[in-house]
Amino acid sequence: MAGSSPNRGRPSAGNVPHTGGAPVDEVPRRRSGLAPEAYEEVPPEQYPPYVPASESPREFTFRAVLIGLAIAVVFGAANAYLGLRVGLTVTASIPAAVIAVAALRVLGRGNVLEGNIIQTVGSSGESLAAGVIFTIPALFIWGMDVSQLQVFVLASLGGLLGVLFMIPLRRYLIVREHGRLPYPEGTAAAEVLAAGDSGGGKARLLFTGLGIGALYQVLNNPRALGLWQDEPTLPVTRLRTEAAVAVTPELLGIGYIVGPRIAAILLAGSLISWYVLIPLIALIGQNAATPMFPETERLIRDMAPGDLWNRYIRYVGAGSVAAGGIVTLMRSLPTMVSSVRAGVAGLREAGGAGVKRTDDDLPLPFVGGGVLAIGVVLALLPPTFMPVGVFGAALMLIFAFVFVTVSSRVVGLIGNSTNPISGMTIATLLFTSLLFVATGAAEAVDARVAILSVGAVVCIAASIAGDASQDLKTGFLLGSTPRKQQIGELIGVVVPATIMGAVLLLLHRGIGIGSEDLAAPQATLMALVIDGVIGGDLPWGLVAIGAAIALVVEMLGIPSLPLAVGIYLPLSLQTSIMAGGLVRMLVERRYRSGPIEVLREKRENGVLFASGLIAGAALVGVLIAGLVFAEKQGVGGLSGIAPALQNAAGTLPAVPSLLIFAGLALLLWVFAVRGHAGGEVRARSGGAGVGEI
């Protein structure tokens, strides 16, 4: 930020000594990490990159792209499951950087720039998944048939737009604004790659967590072996509600990564729903002789707490999420205005004469031609396949450029973790819906699909642009070739897009998108926004209550968006997330009085192990959904294994299930405080955060 100290967030001198060992890169190194100027507001020409422009080591290699794509597919599938379940995604920048360092150490003859290509390609899967699951699942919620090809077209074209629109902004946002825009995840990834000789220990933490998370999910998931309860529940009869804990490793890991404050805000939102609103609705409606809208069949007194949540609280939560997203967007308006101006300035500056290797972008004619080609493809899509048309394609390009610019600037200031993607998408959908109503296009049978398509492409483009800008910041600090990174970004968008449709279909057919197990909060909200503007048949009173709650907590200085997500999602998810937050709080309290570098190392150990728990559990969750779907089709599944084991051992009752989960939390604490990452960690823990909510 222009007015902030240039040393803000800079590690203390000598924070991370070089610990020796086999170097990852094959170019001469004069220091053990990034130069001090990486954290200072200096003219870009005075910043010495880790690898000078005069050197040209191997960078864009087949193995780097292949490893990166594997990471992108894995984290893309895992985050699709995770985002549909809890409305959060986990950024892949730090795990991808750690895996890159470890992979090149095993394969040999690697260097830091080749590792950056792995990180660049690998981190794209999570951002693509976030843009997809925030919007496209609304089609499933509407009960429509969705094909893998439709998902691929929206995901790939939206992602390509995000990368292409970001390319001409690089010289302004990344280079000229160096020191003013810190890009925290990008800087942290650069530190991990530069300190690559400590990567082996870090990778072990990550993969150990992945294995434990996967094993736990197989043993615990009720659709797999189900050896103990996955959601112990205790009725609270006096309040007509319940207490519950979803004892799953991915939620524990999320809680550790977001930390105790955000976890507490999420839990507070759920407590408002389950211990204030549900008892209040039950009290008001206990003597009602007719169903209360939007319920049309059952009486309040005949509904269980889960039914009350599903029929009433979800609308309150949707109003809170919408209001929280809009408030976040309004707070970003000054940045938005300056970002659009920066975008225009960046377009003017891009495509200049030949420059040195570290300033070599893809040419502007290629960018412009690519954007034009995507616009033509979108406009010419058959209406029976995707009813976009010329009008919708024009809106996609306009909104995509605006919000790509905004997203790229915002993440430079505050990181991907608080990028208001959902707020930008809501604004896009509202404006598009109003335009459709004003022009009479809303009367068309497929109007909702057309509006959602606009929002999906814009959401995916903005999400990918945030990731691409962080990656290009990493490349700027390390001395990578921008052109090669940008090609890697384009590949890293298209390939994961090919599996997104399959993942969504497996999850929907195996579990059910929009069900309590896969609530898909953002996509449900997008569907409600479109339905509300087009049809006007929403329970607006409940939506308004949710919006009012969000505005009140904003007035109290509390971030409304995480609280709104807590209101929307089941209580059982938030209690588990809070458990992970408490583990992190205990780790930080134990080491806060000692050297700061020790605290950072222990905290980062926990982040890596927690990331592994999340990835392992989420990937197995996708696999289990696929097996359940296969079983429904008569192909086979888990039905022959699970009953045999459950009949032999039985499903454990609530208390032992909670004790097993407590043991997993203890294991997370042990790996955080005792795990050794092979050297002190320069990268701040913010580098491995949770994606936009």
Side-chain angles (χ1 to χ4, degrees):
M1 190 176 299
S4 63
S5 170
N7 293 322
R8 181 173 172 234
R10 177 182 173 184
S12 58
N15 187 27
V16 185
H18 184 63
T19 56
V24 172
D25 51 284
E26 57 192 14
V27 296
R29 293 197 299 178
R30 291 160 294 282
R31 53 181 180 269
S32 60
L34 300 179
E37 291 86 352
Y39 299 92
E40 297 174 354
E41 189 175 326
V42 298
E45 61 273 10
Q46 294 183 17
Y47 170 72
Y50 190 76
V51 178
S54 58
E55 298 174 2
S56 299
R58 290 189 311 162
E59 188 170 354
F60 192 86
T61 63
F62 176 77
R63 68 177 184 178
V65 174
L66 193 62
I67 296 170
L69 288 176
I71 297 170
V73 169
V74 167
F75 276 90
N79 276 287
Y81 170 82
L82 194 65
L84 290 171
R85 181 163 167 76
V86 298
L88 301 169
T89 58
V90 179
T91 57
S93 295
I94 290 298
V98 168
I99 294 172
V101 168
L104 292 181
R105 287 174 65 89
V106 171
L107 296 174
R109 294 180 54 79
N111 67 80
V112 72
L113 300 190
E114 189 180 13
N116 188 42
I117 292 296
I118 296 176
Q119 186 276 143
T120 297
V121 177
S123 64
S124 61
E126 176 272 327
S127 295
L128 185 74
V132 168
I133 60 96
F134 285 1
T135 52
I136 295 177
L139 297 172
F140 295 102
I141 293 169
W142 283 331
M144 297 180 177
D145 292 328
V146 183
S147 70
Q148 295 186 43
L149 184 59
Q150 288 173 313
V151 177
F152 169 74
V153 168
L154 290 177
S156 59
L157 295 183
L160 291 174
L161 274 181
V163 176
L164 291 174
F165 276 137
M166 173 58 208
I167 289 172
L169 302 179
R170 186 195 68 86
R171 286 180 180 160
Y172 181 86
L173 296 179
I174 307 298
V175 179
R176 270 184 45 187
E177 293 293 291
H178 173 65
R180 297 189 183 96
L181 297 178
Y183 287 98
E185 285 92 348
T187 301
E191 287 282 18
V192 169
L193 289 166
D197 47 12
S198 66
K202 291 182 183 180
R204 282 193 294 273
L205 281 172
L206 184 69
F207 285 114
T208 300
L210 191 147
I212 292 174
L215 177 62
Y216 188 107
Q217 181 79 299
V218 170
L219 298 176
N220 172 239
N221 194 301
R223 295 177 180 85
L225 303 185
L227 299 184
W228 59 88
Q229 293 184 27
D230 68 319
E231 193 173 304
T233 302
L234 176 67
V236 184
T237 53
R238 285 185 176 272
L239 296 177
R240 284 282 305 276
T241 187
E242 61 190 24
V245 182
V247 291
T248 58
E250 68 267 28
L251 299 176
L252 182 72
I254 285 176
Y256 185 93
I257 292 175
V258 302
R261 182 171 182 267
I262 295 298
I265 295 173
L266 287 165
L267 179 60
S270 280
L271 293 177
I272 290 173
S273 290
W274 290 82
Y275 289 90
V276 178
L277 297 178
I278 286 179
L280 186 60
I281 292 172
L283 179 64
I284 293 173
Q286 63 182 349
N287 296 320
T290 58
M292 290 176 57
F293 183 76
E295 176 61 36
T296 58
E297 298 179 359
R298 293 171 297 176
L299 300 177
I300 292 290
R301 61 173 174 265
D302 297 328
M303 299 173 70
D307 298 326
L308 294 173
W309 172 82
N310 186 54
R311 296 300 295 148
Y312 298 99
I313 302 305
R314 284 170 63 133
Y315 294 103
V316 177
S320 293
V321 173
I326 292 172
V327 167
T328 304
L329 190 63
M330 291 178 65
R331 283 180 169 174
S332 304
L333 279 177
T335 301
M336 289 173 60
V337 173
S338 62
S339 296
V340 172
R341 291 174 179 170
V344 175
L347 285 173
R348 294 196 188 108
E349 294 178 8
V355 291
K356 57 186 179 180
R357 179 186 63 81
T358 54
D359 203 28
D360 181 22
D361 292 290
L362 286 172
L364 196 57
F366 174 85
V367 173
V371 170
L372 181 62
I374 291 172
V376 171
V377 170
L378 288 168
L380 296 180
L381 288 174
T384 54
F385 177 78
M386 193 64 64
V388 175
V390 175
F391 182 52
L395 291 177
M396 288 175 176
L397 296 184
I398 293 170
F399 283 124
F401 172 71
V402 171
F403 288 123
V404 160
T405 305
V406 172
S407 178
S408 301
R409 176 74 177 240
V410 167
V411 300
L413 291 169
I414 58 178
N416 280 344
S417 302
T418 46
N419 190 9
I421 295 293
S422 60
M424 300 178 200
T425 309
I426 291 170
T428 300
L429 292 177
L430 284 173
F431 192 78
T432 304
S433 299
L434 292 172
L435 283 177
F436 269 60
V437 171
T439 59
E443 302 298 326
V445 176
D446 52 10
R448 292 189 304 173
V449 178
I451 295 168
L452 182 71
S453 299
V454 174
V457 167
V458 172
C459 181
I460 294 166
S463 181
I464 284 292
D467 172 72
S469 58
Q470 296 284 0
D471 294 337
L472 291 171
K473 178 66 173 185
T474 303
F476 171 77
L477 296 175
L478 294 176
S480 296
T481 307
R483 176 193 294 260
K484 295 177 181 179
Q485 274 193 279
Q486 291 154 4
I487 295 172
E489 294 279 3
L490 295 172
I491 297 172
V493 164
V494 173
V495 173
T498 61
I499 60 100
M500 282 297 157
V503 170
L504 291 183
L505 288 172
L506 282 176
L507 291 173
H508 183 59
R509 294 168 180 173
I511 301 175
I513 291 176
S515 66
E516 186 172 345
D517 289 334
L518 290 178
Q522 287 87 352
T524 302
L525 172 61
M526 305 310 169
L528 290 173
V529 168
I530 297 172
D531 286 337
V533 177
I534 299 297
D537 56 352
L538 280 179
W540 286 106
L542 296 175
V543 174
I545 290 172
I549 292 173
L551 294 176
V552 168
V553 299
E554 282 285 349
M555 294 171 65
L556 295 175
I558 301 171
S560 61
L561 203 51
L563 184 125
V565 172
I567 291 174
Y568 185 87
L569 292 174
L571 172 66
S572 59
L573 305 184
Q574 312 310 328
T575 49
S576 299
I577 291 174
M578 188 69 234
L582 290 175
V583 172
R584 174 156 170 176
M585 184 180 71
L586 292 174
V587 171
E588 292 178 341
R589 285 192 173 182
R590 176 170 180 172
Y591 294 100
R592 66 184 178 185
S593 59
I596 186 64
E597 59 269 17
V598 175
L599 171 60
R600 285 173 176 157
E601 180 185 10
K602 302 304 182 184
R603 185 167 53 199
E604 187 76 9
N605 289 344
V607 165
L608 290 171
F609 185 77
S611 297
L613 288 178
I614 294 167
L619 287 172
V620 171
V622 174
L623 177 61
I624 290 172
L627 293 174
V628 171
F629 172 66
E631 184 176 0
K632 290 180 179 179
Q633 301 302 308
V635 178
L638 299 169
S639 57
I641 303 174
L645 286 175
Q646 291 175 7
N647 290 335
T651 299
L652 294 176
V655 172
S657 301
L658 291 172
L659 290 176
I660 293 172
F661 184 67
L664 182 65
L666 178 63
L667 198 62
L668 172 58
W669 184 84
V670 167
F671 273 96
V673 301
R674 295 186 180 179
H676 185 60
E680 296 173 1
V681 179
R682 289 180 62 101
R684 293 167 289 167
S685 62
V690 167
E692 200 274 327
I693 58 176

